[in-house]
Amino acid sequence: MITFITNPHSGCWHRHCSCDGREVEGRRAFPADWEGGGFERPPRLHPPCPGRGPPTRTLLRRLACRRSSSAATRRPAARGDMAGGHRLLLENAQQVVMVCARGERFLARDALHSLAVLEGASLVVGTDGFIKAIGRADAIQTLFSEETFEERIDCSGKCILPGLVDAHTHPVWAGERVHEFAMKLAGATYMEIHQAGGGINFTVEHTRQASEEELFCSLQQRLQCMMRAGTTLVECKSGYGLNLETELKMLRVIERARRQGPIGISATYCGAHSVPKGKTATEAADEIINNHLPKLKELGSRGEIHVDNIDVFCEKGVFDLNSTRRILQSGKDLGLQINFHGDELHPMKAAEITSSWYSSDNQAQTFHLERHQAQLGAELGAQAISHLEEVSDEGIAAMATARSSAVLLPTTAYMLRLKQPRARKMLDEGVIVALGSDFNPNAYCLSMPMVMHLACVNMRMSMPEALAAATINAAYALGKSHTHGSLEVGKQGDLIIINSSRWEHLIYQFGGHHELIEYVIAKGKVIYKK
């Protein structure tokens, strides 16, 4: 049986409805025979909740089960695939939250109104680490009755979800800044902290001084914390070097973690995180284009490092529109995905870390920059743009058209007391919304369940929207939704098991994920057990 989890922002179609826009649950829409074709007659549509749009029957058909569909319980392509046994069998789960069921690369608009959830289901991961079958527990038991498994886990009364994807982090650095948090709580502004020797320059100085081994050990510890909170794929940025030597040191640390660690890593070169002391943005951009990027290409061709994405902090007083365009285009020419910071700070307040460097002559250019960052990303074919607290309506429309993902960071707005990104506007306009923790010394959060909770409470996302944003859409933002972000046949066996009969508890229990998460599994191997 599939359970649809219905988005309260679009109306309710189920039999038992709480129409206050907070607690809504869907019930049977399809027959229990997961392999069969056709539909069970859906329950009569409930009238829309006050102020909500009408539900659509097309969303009820989104998970149509066809015998050829990977959404159904499927036999592997060839019987010989099973001859050598399998890596993992997860049996009798109360819920298996597939998120997607028909190979979607992202979810937006009506597709977010419901997630694919199997009741009373089992799942098989092969020795290659990819999902071989998923479906009704009795069907899986029959199909695989004579097969062997390296490990079996009884999931009775528990929920299985995709491994969480953190689409934006800065996890490689030295020099903690807990003292700055105390200063901010006491009323200090970012510029006051910066002028006292703190801020990004503090982190850059300590990161330059740290050894590669020190940075690797601290990164390992942080990744372990993320993993225990359910993250199985994480984007990792450089950006606290601002010179070629330290940026390469950070990328080597990320590469070592990618090769040796249990969770997946998408590596991002972020040498344009800030303008180095003594240089202009134009000079810094020239240095990156003429020296940094060619070196990345050389090391990549030798197999020493692997970089997936390129990032620039496009903000007034940091990298202007022209410098950002030049750097991103140069990275794209090398085959890097564009995934950059944009529209974070309010144009009328002046950016805190650069206000003393900015003059009134720049105000027109500043307004233009903040109005058109998202359009720039769409123009360049950006895979993702992060932050977007100050994105314009035109930028939202451009991102929706270009299918550029919006990576929203509710922890940043919360900790820095910024205006929240307009998540509801983006979702309603069809933007592909993803979530990230923005883990860094200025916003210390390693938990995607807490990020999802904040997204629901502070950005008014529904729980299905938040889960999709932390799984399939976050994977899309990293260009990996063909292998990650949902539980479907043929995808990588990255998942978590929680000790609850309903998946929503992972979001509902703020800070309770350490008690809820019993297993974290990557490529079908248990990498964390409570």
Side-chain angles (χ1 to χ4, degrees), residues 176-222:
E176 66 173 29
R177 283 155 57 182
V178 64
H179 59 286
E180 294 183 10
F181 184 58
M183 293 169 67
K184 277 182 264 187
L185 293 178
T189 65
Y190 197 106
M191 262 313 295
E192 289 169 344
I193 293 171
H194 175 77
Q195 290 167 350
I200 189 172
N201 288 335
F202 177 90
T203 303
V204 169
E205 179 183 347
H206 284 76
T207 304
R208 286 177 176 179
Q209 293 172 357
S211 70
E212 199 164 311
E213 188 64 25
E214 289 171 334
L215 292 175
F216 177 71
C217 289
S218 62
L219 174 59
Q220 272 191 316
Q221 293 172 353
R222 292 159 188 163

Side-chain angles (χ1 to χ4, degrees), residues 49-67:
C49 303
R52 309 296 185 192
T56 62
R57 290 186 180 273
T58 57
L59 71 89
L60 300 178
R61 299 184 174 88
R62 194 174 65 80
L63 298 176
C65 304
R66 298 177 298 173
R67 292 186 183 274

Side-chain angles (χ1 to χ4, degrees), residues 187-416:
T189 65
Y190 197 106
M191 262 313 295
E192 289 169 344
I193 293 171
H194 175 77
Q195 290 167 350
I200 189 172
N201 288 335
F202 177 90
T203 303
V204 169
E205 179 183 347
H206 284 76
T207 304
R208 286 177 176 179
Q209 293 172 357
S211 70
E212 199 164 311
E213 188 64 25
E214 289 171 334
L215 292 175
F216 177 71
C217 289
S218 62
L219 174 59
Q220 272 191 316
Q221 293 172 353
R222 292 159 188 163
L223 293 176
Q224 285 286 327
C225 291
M226 293 179 183
M227 178 189 71
R228 291 195 294 270
T231 295
T232 56
L233 175 62
V234 57
E235 186 258 12
C236 296
K237 301 179 189 293
S238 68
Y240 288 119
L242 308 185
N243 60 28
L244 180 58
E245 178 186 2
T246 312
E247 290 296 315
L248 292 179
K249 178 173 66 175
M250 296 178 71
L251 290 172
R252 286 194 299 269
V253 166
I254 293 170
E255 178 65 17
R256 183 177 169 189
R258 185 182 69 83
R259 294 181 182 183
Q260 297 182 14
I263 68 175
I265 289 177
S266 179
T268 298
Y269 165 74
C270 189
H273 194 194
S274 182
V275 177
K277 289 181 179 180
K279 290 189 176 181
T280 65
T282 300
E283 291 169 341
D286 289 342
E287 171 71 14
I288 288 168
I289 293 167
N290 297 326
N291 295 316
H292 290 212
L293 293 181
K295 190 65 175 180
L296 294 186
K297 180 179 180 181
E298 176 191 338
L299 295 176
S301 65
R302 297 209 303 251
E304 295 184 24
I305 61 173
H306 178 83
V307 180
D308 301 284
N309 317 293
I310 185 165
D311 191 355
V312 176
F313 186 21
C314 182
E315 191 57 77
K316 73 175 182 180
V318 190
F319 286 94
D320 60 23
L321 202 64
N322 184 56
S323 296
T324 298
R325 185 194 307 273
R326 292 175 57 217
I327 295 169
L328 293 178
Q329 185 62 57
S330 296
K332 184 178 181 180
D333 292 343
L334 294 182
L336 301 179
Q337 293 179 140
I338 295 176
N339 188 331
F340 74 106
H341 291 61
D343 290 313
E344 179 179 359
L345 302 174
H346 194 284
M348 296 299 122
K349 294 180 180 177
E352 291 176 340
I353 58 172
T354 58
S355 59
S356 64
W357 304 338
Y358 226 70
S359 70
S360 60
D361 294 338
N362 299 110
Q363 295 308 310
Q365 179 184 354
T366 299
F367 179 79
H368 176 81
L369 167 65
E370 299 201 359
R371 183 178 176 84
H372 293 290
Q373 285 168 352
Q375 287 96 317
L376 170 64
E379 171 194 332
L380 293 177
Q383 187 73 21
I385 308 173
S386 293
H387 283 287
L388 299 166
E389 286 86 353
E390 294 296 333
V391 68
S392 66
D393 289 348
E394 295 88 346
I396 290 174
M399 291 181 67
T401 301
R403 293 186 174 179
S404 293
S405 175
V407 180
L408 305 185
L409 311 170
T411 49
T412 308
Y414 166 72
M415 294 182 190
L416 300 185

Side-chain angles (χ1 to χ4, degrees), residues 110-127:
D110 287 353
L112 283 167
H113 295 166
S114 56
L115 303 180
V117 180
L118 277 171
E119 308 271 2
S122 297
L123 181 148
V124 175
V125 181
T127 54

Side-chain angles (χ1 to χ4, degrees), residues 20-41:
D20 58 3
R22 290 192 298 272
E23 188 174 343
V24 182
E25 180 184 359
R27 294 300 181 194
R28 291 170 57 208
F30 292 105
D33 184 1
W34 187 220
E35 265 195 295
F39 297 94
E40 180 182 69
R41 182 179 178 85

Side-chain angles (χ1 to χ4, degrees), residues 14-211:
H14 43 76
R15 293 171 182 163
H16 304 291
C17 172
S18 172
C19 295
D20 58 3
R22 290 192 298 272
E23 188 174 343
V24 182
E25 180 184 359
R27 294 300 181 194
R28 291 170 57 208
F30 292 105
D33 184 1
W34 187 220
E35 265 195 295
F39 297 94
E40 180 182 69
R41 182 179 178 85
R44 183 177 60 85
L45 292 180
H46 188 287
C49 303
R52 309 296 185 192
T56 62
R57 290 186 180 273
T58 57
L59 71 89
L60 300 178
R61 299 184 174 88
R62 194 174 65 80
L63 298 176
C65 304
R66 298 177 298 173
R67 292 186 183 274
S68 61
S69 170
S70 64
T73 301
R74 276 178 29 177
R75 293 173 175 80
R79 188 72 183 176
D81 294 343
M82 299 192 293
H86 300 276
R87 180 168 290 170
L88 179 66
L89 171 62
L90 304 180
E91 300 180 277
N92 304 313
Q94 181 78 21
Q95 292 183 325
V96 176
V97 185
M98 300 170 67
V99 176
C100 300
R102 302 190 70 183
E104 298 94 332
R105 291 293 180 257
F106 59 85
L107 297 182
R109 291 190 183 275
D110 287 353
L112 283 167
H113 295 166
S114 56
L115 303 180
V117 180
L118 277 171
E119 308 271 2
S122 297
L123 181 148
V124 175
V125 181
T127 54
D128 59 358
F130 290 87
I131 297 171
K132 299 303 177 185
I134 179 171
R136 234 180 38 217
D138 56 353
I140 294 290
Q141 184 178 13
T142 300
L143 180 60
F144 291 87
S145 60
E146 299 179 2
E147 305 305 321
T148 60
F149 299 90
E150 295 175 13
E151 186 166 4
R152 294 172 179 253
I153 298 176
D154 182 5
C155 299
S156 298
K158 299 176 173 62
C159 292
I160 303 171
L161 297 91
L164 303 178
V165 181
D166 191 339
H168 184 120
T169 79
H170 302 260
V172 184
W173 48 268
E176 66 173 29
R177 283 155 57 182
V178 64
H179 59 286
E180 294 183 10
F181 184 58
M183 293 169 67
K184 277 182 264 187
L185 293 178
T189 65
Y190 197 106
M191 262 313 295
E192 289 169 344
I193 293 171
H194 175 77
Q195 290 167 350
I200 189 172
N201 288 335
F202 177 90
T203 303
V204 169
E205 179 183 347
H206 284 76
T207 304
R208 286 177 176 179
Q209 293 172 357
S211 70

